[in-house]
Amino acid sequence: MPANMISKILEKAVLPLEVIAPHVKTEAARTSVLRNPNMEKLQKGYLFPEISMKHEAHLKKYPDAKVISLGIGDTTEPIPRVITSAMAEYALALSTPEGYQGYGPEQGQMNLRKVIAEKVYPNMGIKESEVFISDGAQCDIARLQMLFGPNVTIAVQDPTFPGYVDNGVIVGQTGEADEAGKYAGISYMRCAPENHFFPDLSRVPRTDVIFFCSPNNPTGHAASAAQLRELVDFARRNGSIIVFDAAYAWYVSDEEEAGGGDNKKPRSIYEVPGAREVAIEICSFSKFAGFTGVRLGWAVVPGELRYADGSPVARDFDRIVCTCFNGASSVAQAGGLACLATEEGRAAVRRVVGVYKENARVLVDTFASLGKEVYGGADSPYVWVRFPGRRSWDVFAEILEKTHVITVPGSGFGPGGEGFVRVSAFNSRDRVLEAAARLRKYLA
Amino acid sequence: MPANMISKILEKAVLPLEVIAPHVKTEAARTSVLRNPNMEKLQKGYLFPEISMKHEAHLKKYPDAKVISLGIGDTTEPIPRVITSAMAEYALALSTPEGYQGYGPEQGQMNLRKVIAEKVYPNMGIKESEVFISDGAQCDIARLQMLFGPNVTIAVQDPTFPGYVDNGVIVGQTGEADEAGKYAGISYMRCAPENHFFPDLSRVPRTDVIFFCSPNNPTGHAASAAQLRELVDFARRNGSIIVFDAAYAWYVSDEEEAGGGDNKKPRSIYEVPGAREVAIEICSFSKFAGFTGVRLGWAVVPGELRYADGSPVARDFDRIVCTCFNGASSVAQAGGLACLATEEGRAAVRRVVGVYKENARVLVDTFASLGKEVYGGADSPYVWVRFPGRRSWDVFAEILEKTHVITVPGSGFGPGGEGFVRVSAFNSRDRVLEAAARLRKYLA
């Protein structure tokens, strides 16, 4: 791995002050402002910095190793030219009196909202006014948690992307974390092969908000129509709000999406009848168009979604968007429009998704050929591999030691991920093939 | 005013549900989730939607009127080509294997952080690691308020930009608003001509956080070195944190900046000795480089700034940036670098600022020639005009009726703005000259 990639990963880490500001004396003056107790509750250990450190240590031990990262879910394929050309054109036009635009609407350009409603949610009754353009799903999670505030109760899948919980901790929805890393006040819904990665809802307590990610990060499982119907019914019975994270929706295979009846894998929660009254959906251009750095996403908040007092959730969310945010970059929005507005753009991003999906297939086949229990990959860029009776970090270390391949320990996504590793398909075909060859050779 | 500008202004408004989602029946199902009580506290009246409605009504009454908006603080001058070319080039490179970048560091590209530390804060001891790149000052205000949390007390200037207060309400720092629009629990520091737009700090209670905007929006007053020393000393004595909003710093005139001693107008709080231990500074590319739509800004959090427990504020802010945000758009960052990295870029943005400053001078002269008490404009794009004994909204209405010029009623920025209107220099020279001619003719 080149040095600049390592430093890039390290830059993403939350570093100790000695690194952030080595010039600061520890005996420096203090204000008398009390630290936000919610910030104190956040756990100290972060997954990716920990992985970076182990990566670094590995490179010290094996300076000539060609490390291949199948760790962090960062896109690697170039963005199709039809999309970057649109961004470049938009940027250059900002230098002309006709093309210059100042503040756009905080909710996003209406043409982009419209094309998302039409192209991503055909026949689902989503209006352009219900689509709020954002700078990415992670930021929308933060804004949604600000919207809900400290008094709501939440449920999350276990394992899951840590953002839902961390933002809940920051706004004050939780107590302290226990030794396993579970915060008091949060309902963790176990999702494992044994329950087809779908919780037994008869045993899940009612919460105000349910965060549900499908296709799931990290398990790669795309919920079936039957599962999502069950989820929506559960929310409707309980008067709960679902936040459906569809960041990986474009990875659902066409045949799965087209499949009839219960086994169909919906790409949106709004394919499920009754979802409009109980569900918000968040999505992102990051993983399907390679916009991880460009930053663009959206949230759908249907007008029917109401609080107990009858007031529309969309109105408060609109206020959050206008007060805490000022719209996504207009240049990024021009790129988003190019992804979706024409068949050329849509075909281009499908091709990129296809590259990662083929990578995922290679990885699934590799682990399967090694006799491993392997999940995900078919409708997701993530492959979820079980190592029964072993600890995730030990498996991570063994794979790194034997093959110089970086994975992610499943336990980093919650206690329910223990005994698994997540393997990401986000890398070049060559590197994925090389990684697969090493895995076959050294893990056999 | 062209129809598309009106719809643009209207799009910025927070609209009632009947407009957002006219298809939704009011008797729709409800969840049983309680609305966030902090959201309920936010006042219903918003300034700019109210202005938009009056603007619309005016156009119905005078369909042929050529309305000139000197209202909203939105930039109008094209962005210099040297900057948009850099964005276009960066965008196009994203289509190449060599130029593609996925996630950048959440804190921003190190080269941009470095050039800000060097060029914006020369000789002020700001390290690149203390500069956090953002998608704009408004978003940083929201993130800072999330950082501080519900338990801190805050002080704001009166009048001031409403974002500090609104975000404080959302995170739960306040009680309800009174009839004048002041929230319980916030200390409002009156800034008026009588006190040289600087509060009598001997009468200001200690708060944990002090939001201070200079050059100020809306008064246009740039605090002097003596005033800022007093502010820093006050914060140090009280163990408070200053959040210094320097979004208009580039409007401080060179001669003012260069002026010796007490009368000098600093462009950064870090020009004041001792500020590093008590002050955060936020800034933005919006008003100096026309990036209102492109979205780029930064926050400086010095390593010396500590909570009462000795823990560094920067570490928690870093965690907020990594958890609630995922970095500013990489394309916008490429543009930001082009603004600051070369003398060509810096000269180009100075020319744009110069256009607005000359506009402001025209407006100041106009109101002065009418015998009005007029403030600001010299170090700011905002001109602050007093109409003694009159209500701001009445003056707004009279100016609109007589001259077809949109201003902003001062009372929209807090009770301390009553009796003033804010006139913005953000418009083309032609329109500003035309507005000035009308004002001279009809307000004489």
Side-chain angles (χ1 to χ4, degrees):
Chain A
M1 166 169 289
N4 72 325
M5 272 199 69
I6 297 161
S7 76
K8 197 169 153 200
I9 288 175
L10 282 174
E11 280 177 329
K12 289 187 75 72
V14 177
L15 299 169
L17 186 75
E18 302 76 64
V19 180
I20 291 180
H23 56 287
V24 174
K25 297 176 206 74
T26 44
E27 68 274 22
R30 298 170 180 193
T31 66
S32 48
V33 177
L34 298 180
R35 187 179 178 205
N36 182 348
N38 296 325
M39 294 301 298
E40 288 183 49
K41 278 180 207 155
L42 279 177
Q43 290 182 269
K44 288 194 187 73
Y46 313 125
L47 188 60
F48 290 101
E50 183 77 18
I51 293 173
S52 298
M53 278 187 289
K54 291 192 188 288
H55 185 175
E56 259 200 309
H58 185 76
L59 282 176
K60 279 204 181 130
K61 192 169 163 191
Y62 302 104
D64 298 328
K66 286 195 175 158
V67 175
I68 297 174
S69 176
L70 304 179
I72 189 168
D74 193 5
T75 47
T76 52
E77 289 293 306
I79 299 174
R81 192 77 178 199
V82 57
I83 298 160
T84 60
S85 297
M87 287 195 275
E89 237 171 77
Y90 183 91
L92 291 173
L94 291 172
S95 288
T96 66
E98 308 73 36
Y100 182 73
Q101 286 206 312
Y103 287 118
E106 289 92 340
Q107 304 86 350
Q109 301 291 349
M110 202 45 99
N111 54 1
L112 179 57
R113 300 170 78 183
K114 193 165 191 285
V115 80
I116 288 173
E118 285 171 4
K119 299 298 176 192
V120 182
Y121 303 100
N123 308 315
M124 289 179 227
I126 300 299
K127 313 282 178 297
E128 59 216 49
S129 57
E130 297 172 329
V131 177
F132 296 79
I133 307 300
S134 78
D135 56 338
Q138 176 158 322
C139 312
D140 270 333
I141 292 165
R143 282 186 285 269
L144 286 168
Q145 289 287 39
M146 282 189 89
L147 171 77
F148 295 133
N151 301 332
V152 304
T153 52
I154 70 168
V156 295
Q157 291 158 290
D158 177 25
T160 199
F161 174 66
Y164 320 119
V165 166
D166 287 353
N167 278 286
V169 173
I170 289 172
V171 301
Q173 292 167 352
T174 75
E176 301 287 340
D178 67 14
E179 294 230 327
K182 287 186 178 182
Y183 287 93
I186 291 186
S187 167
Y188 290 84
M189 304 182 295
R190 183 72 195 274
C191 293
E194 289 64 36
N195 60 12
H196 305 286
F197 294 102
F198 191 78
D200 177 357
L201 293 176
S202 70
R203 300 176 61 182
V204 170
R206 179 201 175 273
T207 57
D208 292 310
V209 181
I210 303 165
F211 287 94
F212 198 92
C213 177
S214 175
N216 183 264
N217 177 7
T219 69
H221 178 76
S224 68
Q227 288 177 332
L228 292 185
R229 271 205 308 277
E230 207 184 309
L231 182 69
V232 167
D233 289 347
F234 179 72
R236 291 180 69 95
R237 273 200 312 281
N238 285 334
S240 303
I241 295 173
I242 298 166
V243 175
F244 189 78
D245 186 342
Y248 299 96
W250 284 60
Y251 287 81
V252 172
S253 295
D254 285 340
E255 51 271 32
E256 299 276 29
E257 212 276 328
D262 288 358
N263 292 324
K264 182 187 176 187
K265 307 282 176 74
R267 289 195 176 125
S268 166
I269 192 73
Y270 301 117
E271 293 184 36
V272 178
R276 286 182 58 87
E277 286 86 8
V278 292
I280 291 167
E281 182 162 305
I282 56 178
C283 200
S284 162
F285 287 82
S286 290
K287 306 301 167 83
F288 83 82
F291 273 34
T292 38
V294 173
R295 310 303 310 139
L296 194 68
W298 70 86
V300 178
V301 187
E304 285 90 337
L305 184 66
R306 306 292 185 114
Y307 289 116
D309 67 0
S311 70
V313 174
R315 190 155 59 194
D316 278 1
F317 187 65
D318 190 89
R319 189 72 199 268
I320 288 279
V321 165
C322 292
T323 307
C324 314
F325 183 52
N326 226 330
S329 175
S330 53
V331 187
Q333 292 190 63
L337 195 63
C339 291
L340 294 176
T342 65
E343 181 48 37
E344 187 190 359
R346 295 191 295 275
V349 294
R350 274 196 298 265
R351 272 193 299 276
V352 174
V353 168
V355 171
Y356 298 129
K357 279 179 64 98
E358 174 62 16
N359 286 353
R361 198 193 55 72
V362 168
L363 292 168
V364 167
D365 289 353
T366 301
F367 285 104
S369 78
L370 291 165
K372 299 295 174 200
E373 245 185 86
V374 54
Y375 303 94
D379 304 304
S380 157
Y382 299 126
V383 176
W384 187 239
V385 193
R386 188 175 234 171
F387 293 81
R390 300 196 55 196
R391 300 193 66 79
S392 298
W393 276 110
D394 294 342
V395 176
F396 165 89
E398 185 193 332
I399 293 177
L400 181 58
E401 180 70 25
K402 288 186 174 169
T403 69
H404 307 309
V405 171
I406 300 265
T407 59
V408 181
S411 56
F413 299 96
E418 187 56 277
F420 291 84
V421 295
R422 188 192 82 175
V423 187
S424 160
F426 290 120
N427 213 325
S428 69
R429 178 66 45 79
D430 284 355
R431 288 211 182 101
V432 168
L433 289 173
E434 166 69 20
R438 291 188 205 161
L439 289 163
R440 280 179 202 261
K441 185 163 175 191
Y442 297 106
L443 283 195
Chain B
M1 167 170 288
N4 72 325
M5 272 200 70
I6 299 162
S7 75
K8 197 170 153 199
I9 289 176
L10 283 174
E11 281 179 328
K12 288 189 74 74
V14 177
L15 299 169
L17 186 74
E18 302 76 65
V19 181
I20 291 180
H23 56 287
V24 174
K25 298 176 206 72
T26 45
E27 68 273 21
R30 298 170 181 192
T31 66
S32 47
V33 177
L34 298 180
R35 188 179 177 205
N36 182 348
N38 296 325
M39 294 302 297
E40 288 183 49
K41 279 181 208 154
L42 278 178
Q43 290 182 268
K44 287 193 186 74
Y46 313 124
L47 188 60
F48 289 102
E50 183 77 16
I51 292 173
S52 297
M53 277 187 288
K54 292 192 189 288
H55 185 175
E56 258 200 310
H58 186 75
L59 282 177
K60 278 202 182 133
K61 193 171 164 190
Y62 302 104
D64 299 327
K66 286 194 175 157
V67 175
I68 297 173
S69 178
L70 305 180
I72 188 168
D74 193 6
T75 46
T76 53
E77 288 294 305
I79 300 173
R81 192 77 179 199
V82 55
I83 298 160
T84 60
S85 297
M87 287 195 275
E89 237 170 76
Y90 184 91
L92 291 174
L94 291 172
S95 289
T96 66
E98 307 72 36
Y100 183 73
Q101 286 207 312
Y103 287 119
E106 289 92 339
Q107 304 86 348
Q109 300 291 348
M110 201 46 100
N111 53 1
L112 180 57
R113 301 171 78 183
K114 193 165 192 285
V115 81
I116 289 173
E118 283 172 5
K119 299 297 175 190
V120 182
Y121 302 101
N123 308 314
M124 290 178 226
I126 301 298
K127 312 283 179 297
E128 58 215 50
S129 57
E130 297 172 328
V131 177
F132 296 79
I133 306 300
S134 78
D135 55 340
Q138 175 158 323
C139 312
D140 270 334
I141 292 165
R143 281 186 284 268
L144 286 168
Q145 288 287 38
M146 282 189 88
L147 170 78
F148 295 134
N151 300 332
V152 303
T153 52
I154 70 168
V156 296
Q157 290 158 292
D158 178 24
T160 199
F161 173 66
Y164 320 119
V165 167
D166 287 353
N167 278 288
V169 174
I170 289 172
V171 302
Q173 292 167 352
T174 75
E176 302 287 340
D178 67 15
E179 294 228 329
K182 288 185 176 180
Y183 287 93
I186 291 186
S187 168
Y188 290 84
M189 306 182 294
R190 183 72 194 274
C191 292
E194 288 64 36
N195 60 12
H196 305 286
F197 294 101
F198 191 80
D200 177 359
L201 293 176
S202 70
R203 300 176 61 183
V204 170
R206 180 203 174 272
T207 57
D208 292 310
V209 181
I210 302 166
F211 287 93
F212 197 92
C213 177
S214 176
N216 184 263
N217 177 7
T219 70
H221 177 77
S224 68
Q227 289 176 333
L228 291 186
R229 272 205 308 276
E230 209 183 306
L231 182 69
V232 167
D233 288 347
F234 179 72
R236 292 181 67 96
R237 273 200 311 282
N238 285 332
S240 303
I241 295 173
I242 298 166
V243 176
F244 189 77
D245 186 342
Y248 300 97
W250 283 59
Y251 287 82
V252 172
S253 296
D254 285 342
E255 51 272 33
E256 300 275 29
E257 213 275 329
D262 288 358
N263 293 325
K264 183 187 175 186
K265 309 281 175 73
R267 289 196 177 125
S268 166
I269 192 73
Y270 302 117
E271 293 183 35
V272 179
R276 287 182 57 87
E277 286 87 8
V278 292
I280 290 167
E281 181 162 304
I282 56 177
C283 200
S284 163
F285 287 81
S286 289
K287 305 301 168 82
F288 85 82
F291 273 33
T292 38
V294 173
R295 312 300 313 138
L296 195 68
W298 71 86
V300 178
V301 186
E304 285 90 338
L305 184 65
R306 306 293 184 114
Y307 289 115
D309 67 1
S311 70
V313 175
R315 190 155 58 192
D316 277 1
F317 187 66
D318 190 89
R319 188 71 199 266
I320 287 279
V321 164
C322 292
T323 307
C324 314
F325 182 54
N326 225 331
S329 174
S330 54
V331 186
Q333 292 189 64
L337 195 64
C339 292
L340 295 176
T342 65
E343 181 48 36
E344 187 190 1
R346 294 191 296 274
V349 295
R350 273 196 299 266
R351 274 193 298 275
V352 174
V353 168
V355 171
Y356 298 129
K357 279 179 64 97
E358 175 62 16
N359 287 353
R361 199 194 54 74
V362 168
L363 292 168
V364 167
D365 288 353
T366 300
F367 286 104
S369 75
L370 292 165
K372 301 294 176 202
E373 246 184 85
V374 54
Y375 303 93
D379 304 304
S380 156
Y382 299 126
V383 178
W384 188 238
V385 193
R386 186 177 234 172
F387 293 81
R390 300 196 57 195
R391 300 193 67 79
S392 297
W393 276 109
D394 294 342
V395 176
F396 165 87
E398 185 194 332
I399 294 177
L400 180 58
E401 181 69 26
K402 288 186 175 169
T403 69
H404 307 309
V405 171
I406 300 265
T407 58
V408 181
S411 56
F413 299 97
E418 189 54 278
F420 290 84
V421 295
R422 188 193 81 175
V423 188
S424 159
F426 290 121
N427 213 325
S428 69
R429 178 66 45 79
D430 284 356
R431 289 211 182 100
V432 168
L433 289 173
E434 166 68 20
R438 292 187 204 162
L439 289 163
R440 280 179 201 259
K441 186 163 174 190
Y442 296 106
L443 283 196

